[in-house]
Amino acid sequence: MRDGKAMNAGRAWRWAIGLGVLYAGLIVLPHVLSFSQQEIAVFLVINVLLVVSYRLLTLTGEWSLGHVVIMGVGGYASALYAKEVGIPVPISMLLGAVTAAVVAYLLSFPLFRMKGFYFLIGSFAAGEVIRLLWKRFRYPFGGPKGLKLIPSFPDINIGGWTIDFFGPVNYYYLCLIVVSLSLFVLYRLERSRIGLTFHAVHWQDQLAESVGVNTWRYRTLAFVVASFFAGLSGTLLAHYIGTVNPTRFDVEQMVFVLIWAIVGGTATIYGPILGVVVLTILNEVVLRKLGLDEMRPLFYGVLLIGSIMFLPNGLESLGEKLRPRRREPADGNAEAKAGAVPEG
Amino acid sequence: MLDLLLQTSVNAIYASSYMALIAVGLVLIFGVMGVINFAHGELYMLGAYAVVYFYAENDYPFFLSVAIGLVFVGLVGLAMERALFRPMRGNPLGGLIASIGFLLILQTLAVVGFGVRMEHITPPTQEVVSLLGVSEVTVPLQRLYVIVAAIVCLAALWAFLRYSKFGVALRACAQDPEAAALQGISMNQTARTAMFIGAALAGVAGALTAPLVRTYPFMGHSVIVTAFIIIIVGGIGSLEGAVVAAILYAFVNTFVTTFSDGVIADIVGLMLMLIVLVVRPTGLFGVKDRA
């Protein structure tokens, strides 16, 4: 028992140091990048939130094809609140994310009558309907060209020191803060009783039901929470680039989210982050340098097929595969395993 | 007004003919292998590009180009079966995701080979025939070809499934793969046959309609959406359902487009599918839930 506690403390320290180094790196990062790379870093941070929120949805076993449209709902809503209603931007962003969650809640009634492939196609259809509504109705959604001149994030004044969010560096920091907080919430949620129930709903839905878990309610909860954070990522995007349109949230973007999640793996929260970071770096650094812009989808296609066939658990499983089997002491093993799940 | 209704109906019959070809192929592949081929729209696109290459660019006769397109796309289907769907057997979601990857590859190859521009193909015939002796109700001969070819293909498929030994094996596999295997039916052979036929039907639809639609590398997207609506409404796994749903969808879509506009027609189609999914997930003709 004492050993287990010592190990726990040791782990916690290592975690704290690791996170500290990571964040030091993330804070320095924009200053070593070129302007266009800084912009990519902003999109990357936003996409991290998008793909991690997508993973929350997959925890209950459902793969949606409407997640990017839900992101767009957040972006459109926040843009309309700020532009047409005149709500100050940070509040409109929060309301935008709430709107995405409400839309997801309404969609959950028809969609969760379906499972598996039917859910996949149903979510795709629902997303397309929303996207076509944006395209069809010039008022208020701006039609095929979408909304332009979306108000940007307001300057912040701290004791006479003004921070503006027009350039990529400061907006990068803003996104980093918002996304970090969101990831923390999502991480805690998964480790909580609710998160464990999500896993139960996925792997043993009938058993879970038989012990009194309302699986419908938990699936809906996962969908609504995932949509809230997807919507939030949409608002971050909308107020940075200042324009949203239906093409920005089409099925092609959804395929990218799918690729990030599958290439990275969805068993842990790090998998999808790994996927989006590695693929973005590959995409922006390697492919752009080679000048193979046209060939990019081919590269993604090969990667997707290769990873579903040869690495079905994603990049995150690569470490486990390469690492030699760790020696497992006969005693204290149980504590070590218990220590892996934080209390609470 | 009656003329307009008749004319719209003729247009709807044309639309339903090639949509039925695509949807039936998709259902056939799903029925035997249990996998949804997301790249089916791209197989249609390949068929269209076969006509672009052989007929428009190299002056082969139109129907020879269509035949080449049929065989070529069928072979691509065989390759897909071997490389993607066979290793992924028993994992429908994996097969679906692999086909999404394949879709990206085919699109890129089309872009690299032909460019992203829209292809202009002069139809082999510009002739217009009037139907039912009413001069206001007309159909271009090219569209009539598509309708006739679709009926011939579907009738041939029906006869093949009904009477040939392969056809019986195919239906047996679709009903119960394990029992079929116990009877000595080769799963691989059956899957190959289904994949070849399913892909070839999409290819022939693309080849025949290439001069009539906008041919470009991303044309498969709207096709696959339509095909999904049709197979869901018809009942996934049901061939008769796919044909009936194709006709139903084509009529709804053509009439709404004519009397309102195209985007509304798309929304109506998707809503139709959502309603079917909610009210009767097995579709109009579906019997049992395999997905």
Side-chain angles (χ1 to χ4, degrees):
Chain A
M1 205 59 186
R2 198 186 42 208
D3 280 358
K5 256 186 191 161
M7 219 164 149
N8 237 349
R11 280 178 86 94
W13 270 111
R14 249 181 295 156
W15 264 109
I17 293 167
L19 268 183
V21 171
L22 179 68
Y23 270 87
L26 286 174
I27 288 165
V28 176
L29 183 73
H31 299 290
V32 298
L33 296 175
S34 69
F35 183 80
S36 67
Q37 285 171 337
Q38 287 168 348
E39 293 219 298
I40 292 162
V42 174
F43 295 136
L44 177 58
V45 174
I46 294 172
N47 286 338
V48 163
L49 182 56
L50 178 64
V51 73
V52 171
S53 68
Y54 185 62
R55 175 180 166 269
L56 183 76
L57 177 56
T58 66
L59 277 189
T60 57
E62 300 302 350
W63 289 73
S64 156
L65 283 182
H67 205 60
V68 169
V69 175
I70 294 289
M71 176 196 194
V73 169
Y76 265 89
S78 180
L80 285 174
Y81 296 152
K83 202 179 161 188
E84 305 290 330
V85 189
I87 296 173
V89 166
I91 299 169
S92 80
M93 287 170 76
L94 209 59
L95 288 177
V98 170
T99 308
V102 169
V103 168
Y105 180 67
L106 295 176
L107 287 179
S108 75
F109 289 99
L111 287 184
F112 281 133
R113 295 175 65 102
M114 313 161 197
K115 276 182 117 175
F117 168 72
Y118 290 102
F119 180 82
L120 193 86
I121 293 302
S123 62
F124 174 67
E128 279 294 294
V129 169
I130 293 175
R131 226 170 56 78
L132 288 172
L133 289 175
W134 292 337
K135 206 168 170 179
R136 176 66 173 72
F137 291 101
R138 213 165 283 275
Y139 184 82
F141 301 121
K145 294 217 171 111
L147 297 171
K148 284 175 186 157
L149 302 172
I150 299 169
S152 53
F153 201 84
D155 298 353
I156 293 181
N157 222 321
I158 310 170
W161 193 41
T162 312
I163 308 170
D164 74 86
F165 292 96
F166 193 68
V169 177
N170 287 346
Y171 205 81
Y172 167 84
Y173 288 132
L174 176 73
C175 289
L176 199 61
I177 293 168
V178 173
V179 171
S180 299
L181 287 175
S182 307
L183 291 190
F184 180 71
V185 172
L186 286 167
Y187 179 81
R188 293 303 302 183
L189 181 71
E190 193 190 341
R191 292 301 179 98
S192 71
R193 198 186 165 81
I194 297 172
L196 295 175
T197 314
F198 287 161
H199 285 281
V201 168
H202 181 190
W203 298 109
Q204 290 287 348
D205 60 336
Q206 281 171 3
L207 180 64
E209 251 173 26
S210 75
V211 296
V213 172
N214 185 340
T215 53
W216 173 298
R217 232 172 58 203
Y218 278 92
R219 289 165 86 201
T220 306
L221 184 65
F223 188 44
V224 168
V225 173
S227 300
F228 175 87
F229 287 107
L232 192 61
S233 71
T235 65
L236 284 173
L237 184 72
H239 291 287
Y240 180 61
I241 55 178
T243 165
V244 285
N245 58 59
T247 346
R248 203 152 185 119
F249 305 106
D250 67 2
V251 72
E252 207 185 317
Q253 303 304 315
M254 187 61 228
V255 168
F256 282 121
V257 176
L258 212 57
I259 293 175
W260 294 329
I262 287 168
V263 170
T266 54
T268 66
I269 204 164
Y270 321 109
I273 300 178
L274 201 62
V276 65
V277 170
V278 168
L279 287 184
T280 305
I281 292 173
L282 268 181
N283 190 14
E284 299 300 339
V285 180
V286 181
L287 289 186
R288 191 150 288 178
K289 279 252 165 67
L290 290 174
L292 295 174
D293 266 14
E294 246 183 7
M295 302 290 277
R296 201 174 301 182
L298 184 120
F299 165 77
Y300 276 107
V302 171
L303 206 67
L304 188 59
I305 294 174
S307 64
I308 195 85
M309 286 197 172
F310 304 112
L311 204 63
N313 296 321
L315 285 175
E316 65 185 7
S317 66
L318 209 58
E320 297 297 322
K321 272 189 178 170
L322 298 181
R323 194 184 303 151
R325 275 226 166 152
R326 205 184 290 160
R327 248 175 342 108
E328 286 185 355
D331 60 319
N333 194 16
E335 274 97 341
K337 272 194 181 143
V341 181
E343 67 294 331
Chain B
M1 189 62 198
L2 185 66
D3 291 343
L4 183 61
L5 285 180
L6 279 173
Q7 181 64 56
T8 312
S9 303
V10 171
N11 295 347
I13 290 168
Y14 155 70
S16 55
S17 66
Y18 75 90
M19 286 175 187
L21 282 180
I22 298 164
V24 162
L26 197 57
V27 165
L28 196 64
I29 292 167
F30 176 79
V32 173
M33 281 182 281
V35 69
I36 292 293
N37 178 19
F38 237 90
H40 213 66
E42 274 56 41
L43 295 176
Y44 170 85
M45 180 269 289
L46 280 189
Y49 270 98
V51 163
V52 170
Y53 182 76
F54 288 105
Y55 168 73
E57 291 183 1
N58 289 315
D59 295 324
Y60 281 53
F62 180 72
F63 285 103
L64 179 63
S65 311
V66 172
I68 295 172
L70 181 148
V71 174
F72 171 65
V73 179
L75 292 177
V76 171
L78 283 186
M80 282 178 78
E81 192 276 328
R82 183 68 195 87
L84 302 180
F85 295 148
R86 200 181 297 177
M88 287 277 121
R89 192 174 291 163
N91 178 2
L93 192 65
L96 187 146
I97 287 164
S99 73
I100 292 179
F102 196 67
L103 166 170
L104 294 173
I105 295 174
L106 290 181
Q107 278 183 357
T108 317
L109 291 178
V111 170
V112 172
F114 296 90
V116 283
R117 68 177 192 283
M118 210 97 79
E119 303 287 340
H120 289 285
I121 306 167
T122 326
T125 166
Q126 305 275 22
E127 208 175 314
V128 173
V129 275
S130 57
L131 288 180
L132 311 163
V134 187
S135 57
E136 282 85 2
V137 183
T138 60
V139 56
L141 196 54
Q142 181 69 27
R143 288 190 172 201
L144 210 53
Y145 288 159
V146 179
I147 297 170
V148 172
I151 293 171
V152 169
C153 284
L154 290 175
L157 178 70
W158 181 80
F160 174 77
L161 290 179
R162 189 87 179 75
Y163 297 112
S164 81
K165 215 171 168 183
F166 265 137
V168 177
L170 216 70
R171 281 187 293 146
C173 273
Q175 271 176 16
D176 191 335
E178 270 180 47
L182 284 174
Q183 300 297 318
I185 294 170
S186 159
M187 193 60 208
N188 286 346
Q189 183 59 42
T190 319
R192 269 200 295 272
T193 316
M195 194 67 215
F196 182 86
I197 297 175
L201 287 177
V204 83
L208 283 167
T209 52
L212 296 166
V213 295
R214 295 180 299 164
T215 300
Y216 63 110
F218 308 108
M219 67 198 289
H221 173 67
S222 63
V223 169
I224 195 69
V225 176
T226 308
F228 279 155
I229 296 174
I230 291 170
I231 65 171
I232 294 281
V233 170
I236 191 160
S238 160
L239 293 171
E240 303 88 345
V243 176
V244 174
I247 295 169
L248 180 71
Y249 175 81
F251 268 85
V252 170
N253 190 62
T254 313
F255 272 86
V256 176
T257 306
T258 308
F259 293 100
S260 177
D261 69 82
V263 179
I264 294 285
D266 287 344
I267 293 176
V268 168
L270 288 163
M271 294 301 285
L272 196 69
M273 167 159 102
L274 279 175
I275 291 168
V276 169
L277 277 171
V278 170
V279 178
R280 193 179 153 84
T282 48
L284 299 179
F285 288 77
V287 270
K288 93 178 177 184
D289 183 4
R290 278 198 60 188

